[in-house]
Amino acid sequence: MATIKDVASAAGVSISTVSYALSGKRAIAESTRRRIEDAVRELDYRPNAGARMLAGRRTYILAVTEPLRPDTYTPAHMAFVLAVATAARRYDYDVLLLTQEEADAGLRRVTSSRLVDGVIVLDVLRDDERADLVRSLDLPAVLIGVPDNTDGLVCVDLDFEAAARLAVDRLADAGHLTVGLLGHPASVYERGSNFPPRFRDAFLEHAAHRGLEARFATGEHDPAQVRAAVTTLLGPDGDLTGLVMHGEEQTQREALTYVAERGLTVPGDLSVISAGSTFDTSTFDPPLDVIPLVPGASSERAVELAIAQLSEPVEPRVELLAPTYVDHGSVTPR
Amino acid sequence: MATIKDVASAAGVSISTVSYALSGKRAIAESTRRRIEDAVRELDYRPNAGARMLAGRRTYILAVTEPLRPDTYTPAHMAFVLAVATAARRYDYDVLLLTQEEADAGLRRVTSSRLVDGVIVLDVLRDDERADLVRSLDLPAVLIGVPDNTDGLVCVDLDFEAAARLAVDRLADAGHLTVGLLGHPASVYERGSNFPPRFRDAFLEHAAHRGLEARFATGEHDPAQVRAAVTTLLGPDGDLTGLVMHGEEQTQREALTYVAERGLTVPGDLSVISAGSTFDTSTFDPPLDVIPLVPGASSERAVELAIAQLSEPVEPRVELLAPTYVDHGSVTPR
DNA sequence: CTGAAAGCGCTTACAG
DNA sequence: CTGAAAGCGCTTACAG
């Protein structure tokens, strides 16, 4: 494997010149730079990661902690892990995956061994032990999600409250009087996940504020239970005309299938909005209006903030990204 | 942050003694070891990762490449990523996640920069570019999955062919004459994923061998399509009495719900086996017999083989783990 | 059983 | 615009 020494002698310069040419940290004569670049290419030189970590002040690795608890909605969570990895690569960073067992000890380990430059915390609970840990770590850290206590933390997330209000407003503005929310499985709310209750509470509150009757039901994995939940939401008199779904893809598909079986058309009899969804609702039958949760958006900002902290202090903050509404024709006036 | 020097002076020994005491690579007097351990604990010393990588011959990092293509069944794939990470930790290894964009360039990068000691390849296609790359890499690599061409590769996987035969045998032995397989979405077979066709082909072949009539249908994400697939499998005369499902959890739940709606009881009218499943079928309604796919099993063996290659050559091989059958009462004699 | 020292391959002041 | 050299914090022969 070629080292910086090989490149230096091939290019006829010192190793410090090679280093500076590659890092761009000082001006290099055009001809010198070209010779170095040629040598790098020819020798297929890549800086030794360990040496870089030891000599420099960066490891170019970010830790991602994603506990993946039982009952987490893994497709969405995985989408975030991926989005973080992808965003990190834009900054020439790699991503080290810390799992459940390692949530606490692992963070300590990779931090104090200087394996990583910063930490991205995923799947944040309302009361998350990793929040305390991160506060004490004195290492760049960004949470994707908002715990109850955000003191001293840098958090990025979709504005789920605004998303819920947006969904309610759409239905209210279309004249719907009775609206329902089909959510995540009950266990997700119980284990303290941060955003499902944020969405639910804002939904119920804003519906009341707009003078609507609002209902809520959890969306379990069992199709039969999904059907029961939809039945409950529709009401004994079937007076529900606006449905918001914030939960898993298969739950939403099941609900649509069941609604169709009941002989209800969307949006004729029932206007439907999918909210906080990471999947593509335009291929649903029928396609659903959606307030998407874009993993790339929060992830990119989170990575950006984590890396920014390496060079400059970043004030603790909660950055909530504004929701957008994508119309696919599943909402009509009552 | 404490360094090995701090530990050495606190314990009154040289840094080499500290290093050897921690690595266990040479005998250390009991009293010396104790003093060193005390110092380590007191100073909360953890070896600097970069220094360790540079000076030693190991980085204690394994790369995991998991493309997570569209249409991959992410819960199962994520389970493997997690299982690899967990297994790696047993060997004091961390896991670096390489994604889609990085499949090829990323492997090259982390390899030639000596960031990782080895590679675990997940979500293997029948014709996977990463297989060729790995062959040329001269770095410990293990595939979880079996591509068409396994020359020079170390592969570990569940024996999906044996699993299919096991499922067929159970049904045949119970006297069932017409059996069906509800599989993954068609796109999974088309994109060249390695194990779904392995299972399907062995299923059809062994069913023929046992003199059974066998049917196959794909399990799409749309519940209505799942229902249509089950309808097809049941046959116009409803002569199907044995059903094997190898696919996504929600598809299997949907199929069960639909079967119940059709007024069929399991196992009374229909014996059902879930195969190659990473989820818990004992909570299904009714609980299903299962030939489980245990991510931990293949992952542990894969990690073990990857790390073994660091100290001794490992012959290319395909290690197929024997399937097991877990009875939950969903198969009865016809 | 233990120590002094070379060396891993970089980055970055220090000098010119 | 470029170079010589210190130093990052370990591991591991080499010595005794």
Side-chain angles (χ1 to χ4, degrees):
Chain A
M1 207 111 302
T3 71
I4 197 171
K5 255 176 133 171
D6 302 322
V7 176
S9 50
V13 296
S14 71
I15 63 160
S16 60
T17 299
V18 174
S19 178
Y20 283 119
L22 293 180
S23 70
K25 286 189 182 167
R26 81 179 179 192
I28 303 285
E30 189 46 40
S31 64
T32 309
R33 142 159 298 129
R34 208 182 308 280
R35 270 182 294 135
I36 292 173
E37 279 166 3
D38 289 348
V40 165
R41 207 170 310 115
E42 200 154 329
L43 298 168
D44 191 31
Y45 167 71
R46 218 114 18 154
N48 178 289
R52 214 177 168 201
M53 287 163 71
L54 181 57
R57 38 189 54 134
R58 295 208 180 183
T59 68
Y60 293 93
I61 300 178
L62 243 33
V64 171
T65 146
E66 164 55 272
L68 285 152
R69 306 176 175 85
D71 244 306
T72 48
Y73 177 35
T74 49
H77 287 238
M78 197 54 212
F80 273 93
V81 171
L82 278 179
V84 170
T86 304
R89 284 303 305 145
R90 297 235 172 77
Y91 294 85
D92 200 27
Y93 267 73
D94 270 302
V95 147
L96 199 81
L97 187 65
L98 259 27
T99 62
Q100 170 76 315
E101 307 186 298
E102 285 279 296
D104 210 286
L107 271 178
R108 266 184 235 285
R109 179 169 50 79
V110 300
T111 292
S112 59
S113 67
R114 302 234 151 279
L115 219 200
V116 305
D117 290 336
V119 179
I120 306 290
V121 182
L122 296 182
D123 192 13
V124 173
L125 298 188
R126 299 180 57 173
D127 178 21
D128 202 307
E129 60 167 355
R130 295 171 300 165
D132 288 325
L133 187 58
V134 148
R135 266 186 275 260
S136 72
L137 231 44
D138 142 70
L139 188 86
V142 179
L143 287 70
I144 297 186
V146 184
D148 285 346
N149 175 5
T150 61
D151 288 356
L153 299 175
V154 178
C155 304
V156 177
D157 206 356
L158 173 66
D159 190 338
F160 280 95
E161 285 89 352
R165 289 192 297 266
L166 180 51
V168 168
D169 281 338
R170 282 283 175 150
L171 294 174
D173 292 349
H176 298 280
L177 300 174
T178 305
V179 296
L181 171 61
L182 180 63
H184 285 86
S187 57
V188 170
Y189 296 86
E190 283 154 16
R191 79 182 173 84
S193 187
N194 80 92
F195 65 92
R198 278 161 57 202
F199 189 93
R200 178 198 56 197
D201 296 348
F203 175 86
L204 296 174
E205 202 169 302
H206 195 61
H209 174 74
R210 293 287 312 245
L212 310 182
E213 184 188 330
R215 297 167 187 158
F216 169 73
T218 58
E220 309 301 324
H221 290 153
D222 181 358
Q225 286 180 266
V226 172
R227 288 159 175 252
V230 172
T231 301
T232 303
L233 290 175
L234 290 173
D237 323 323
D239 57 346
L240 190 90
T241 60
L243 175 65
V244 175
M245 301 197 284
H246 176 223
E248 310 191 6
E249 175 175 2
Q250 290 305 325
T251 299
Q252 299 190 17
R253 287 185 181 271
E254 184 67 38
L256 283 185
T257 302
Y258 180 59
V259 162
E261 276 182 29
R262 295 257 311 224
L264 299 172
T265 62
V266 174
D269 301 311
L270 187 66
S271 286
V272 180
I273 299 174
S274 179
S277 310
T278 54
F279 41 85
D280 181 8
T281 61
S282 75
T283 64
F284 282 21
D285 182 22
L288 293 189
D289 285 16
V290 63
I291 300 172
L293 170 59
V294 184
S298 332
S299 298
E300 259 162 57
R301 184 59 182 150
V303 167
E304 186 182 359
L305 284 170
I307 292 175
Q309 289 180 65
L310 293 171
S311 26
E312 55 192 292
V314 166
E315 287 298 303
R317 71 183 70 187
V318 176
E319 280 194 18
L320 296 179
L321 309 183
T324 60
Y325 192 95
V326 182
D327 195 326
H328 287 301
S330 63
V331 171
T332 49
R334 181 163 168 274
Chain B
M1 211 111 298
T3 71
I4 197 172
K5 255 174 132 174
D6 301 323
V7 176
S9 50
V13 295
S14 71
I15 64 161
S16 60
T17 300
V18 174
S19 178
Y20 283 119
L22 294 179
S23 69
K25 285 188 183 166
R26 80 177 179 194
I28 302 286
E30 189 46 38
S31 64
T32 310
R33 143 160 295 129
R34 206 183 308 280
R35 271 181 294 132
I36 291 173
E37 279 165 3
D38 289 348
V40 164
R41 205 170 312 113
E42 199 154 330
L43 297 169
D44 192 29
Y45 168 71
R46 220 118 11 159
N48 177 289
R52 213 177 168 201
M53 287 162 72
L54 181 56
R57 36 189 54 131
R58 295 209 180 183
T59 69
Y60 294 94
I61 301 178
L62 243 33
V64 171
T65 146
E66 163 55 271
L68 283 153
R69 306 175 174 85
D71 243 307
T72 48
Y73 177 35
T74 49
H77 288 237
M78 198 53 214
F80 273 93
V81 172
L82 277 179
V84 170
T86 304
R89 284 304 304 145
R90 297 236 171 76
Y91 293 85
D92 200 27
Y93 267 75
D94 269 302
V95 146
L96 199 80
L97 187 66
L98 259 28
T99 62
Q100 171 76 315
E101 308 186 293
E102 286 279 295
D104 210 284
L107 271 177
R108 267 184 234 287
R109 181 170 49 79
V110 300
T111 292
S112 60
S113 67
R114 301 234 151 278
L115 221 199
V116 305
D117 290 336
V119 180
I120 306 289
V121 181
L122 297 182
D123 192 13
V124 174
L125 297 188
R126 298 179 57 175
D127 178 21
D128 202 307
E129 60 167 355
R130 295 171 300 165
D132 289 324
L133 187 59
V134 148
R135 266 185 275 260
S136 72
L137 230 45
D138 144 68
L139 188 87
V142 179
L143 286 70
I144 298 185
V146 184
D148 285 345
N149 175 4
T150 60
D151 288 356
L153 298 175
V154 179
C155 304
V156 177
D157 206 355
L158 173 67
D159 191 337
F160 280 95
E161 286 88 351
R165 290 192 297 267
L166 180 52
V168 168
D169 282 338
R170 282 285 174 147
L171 294 174
D173 293 348
H176 297 280
L177 300 175
T178 304
V179 297
L181 170 61
L182 180 63
H184 285 85
S187 58
V188 170
Y189 296 87
E190 283 153 17
R191 78 182 174 86
S193 188
N194 81 91
F195 63 92
R198 279 161 56 201
F199 188 95
R200 178 199 56 197
D201 296 349
F203 175 86
L204 296 174
E205 201 170 301
H206 195 61
H209 174 75
R210 293 287 310 250
L212 310 182
E213 183 187 333
R215 297 167 187 159
F216 170 71
T218 58
E220 308 301 324
H221 289 152
D222 181 359
Q225 286 180 267
V226 172
R227 288 158 177 253
V230 172
T231 301
T232 303
L233 289 175
L234 289 173
D237 322 323
D239 57 346
L240 190 90
T241 60
L243 175 64
V244 176
M245 301 198 282
H246 176 224
E248 310 191 6
E249 174 174 4
Q250 290 304 323
T251 299
Q252 299 191 18
R253 287 184 181 273
E254 185 68 38
L256 284 186
T257 301
Y258 180 58
V259 161
E261 276 182 30
R262 294 256 313 223
L264 299 172
T265 61
V266 174
D269 301 310
L270 187 66
S271 286
V272 180
I273 299 174
S274 179
S277 310
T278 54
F279 41 86
D280 181 10
T281 62
S282 75
T283 63
F284 281 20
D285 181 22
L288 293 189
D289 285 17
V290 64
I291 301 171
L293 169 58
V294 184
S298 332
S299 299
E300 258 161 56
R301 183 60 181 148
V303 168
E304 186 182 0
L305 284 170
I307 292 175
Q309 289 180 65
L310 292 171
S311 26
E312 55 193 291
V314 166
E315 287 299 302
R317 71 182 70 187
V318 176
E319 279 194 19
L320 296 180
L321 309 183
T324 60
Y325 192 94
V326 182
D327 195 327
H328 288 301
S330 63
V331 171
T332 48
R334 179 160 170 277

